[in-house]
Amino acid sequence: MGLFRRGPKRDGLDVPRDPEFSFFSVDEGARFRGQVREAFAEHGLEVTVFADVVTDSDGRQFGLGNLAAVLHNDDRGPRAWSELVRRHVGMVLRTMNAPSALDTLPTEQIRAKLYPRVVGHEGFDPQNFGYARPLAPGLFEIIALDLPESVMMLTDEALEPLGDLPYLREQALYNLRGLPVEGHETVKGEGGMCFEVVLGDSFYTASRVLALESVIRQIGGEQLTADGALVAMPFRHQLAFHAIHDTGVIPTLSAMTSFAASGFADTPGAISPYVYWWRDGTLTQLSDRDEDGDGLRIVVGEDFQELLERLVAEGGGYGD
């Protein structure tokens, strides 16, 4: 999985866009939904296809947002869509029809497969996740059960028989710290701009912001000081960070703001388009939408402004 997506050959932006998934043209959206219907039919299941969801005769719903984004981001373009749709639908139905792992696995095996997961507010219903820990506006930490073909976000009801929440969270963090780093790249630019990107197929790559110090140790990066780091979690397969040491943080903040927004757009498992200041495990949002909603702006509070002024006064040149 690369840092920047290549654009597959698709219908141009000058043709009418799909009203639900604007990264599709109207024709592409119709082709996508037709393939979804065919894939369910191959499993003997007739579904009603709506703009962003399909339903079966039992009232079960299957969202289309993540699958649409997967197709949009696949470099092979529409020629690969049918295969991807059939694989996804098969996996969804196997997961739905299989006995729940919560009923079949021993408690200790379940605990060994728990991971914390950072999720954004879009598509997240907090009603069944009263235990969810707010990390920043629109960001939450929940606990997930990692299964061979799916990830189960555990509700209050599912967690209750597994043990006390503080213990389960610590177990999940322990499991997270034990994950290998699948991929790592360094992004550099002028003026001391530099940040690291950890990337991989794991659904918990971005969630490793919760164990940032262990990630830095694994890749042999710069150690964190009390000033912390800039971090971004555009989508579930990517975590970007910059350890703050000098005024190189200024151009890096600007670059990471663009990077996060680009990675978030039209991506499966999107989490946040913003950059945050990580300090002793606490996240403070540093970028936001423009007032007109068309772009992004950097928003610096008093504490971060004091940090910048101190770094400038100390005379640490960009990246020196």
Side-chain angles (χ1 to χ4, degrees), residues 66 88 91-92 95-96 100-102 113-119 129 131 142-155 179 201-205 207 236-237 269:
N66 265 356
H88 179 84
M91 180 190 67
V92 166
T95 302
M96 292 287 291
S100 172
L102 295 172
K113 298 175 183 294
L114 296 180
Y115 291 89
R117 188 167 177 190
V118 176
V119 296
F129 297 87
Y131 73 90
I142 61 171
I143 296 177
L145 175 60
D146 190 65
L147 300 170
E149 285 195 321
S150 65
V151 172
M152 181 186 300
M153 299 196 299
L154 299 181
T155 62
L179 291 176
D201 293 331
S202 168
F203 274 45
Y204 312 103
T205 302
S207 300
R236 64 192 177 210
H237 301 295

Side-chain angles (χ1 to χ4, degrees), residues 44 67 182 240 263 270 286:
L67 177 57
E182 297 178 65
L286 296 179

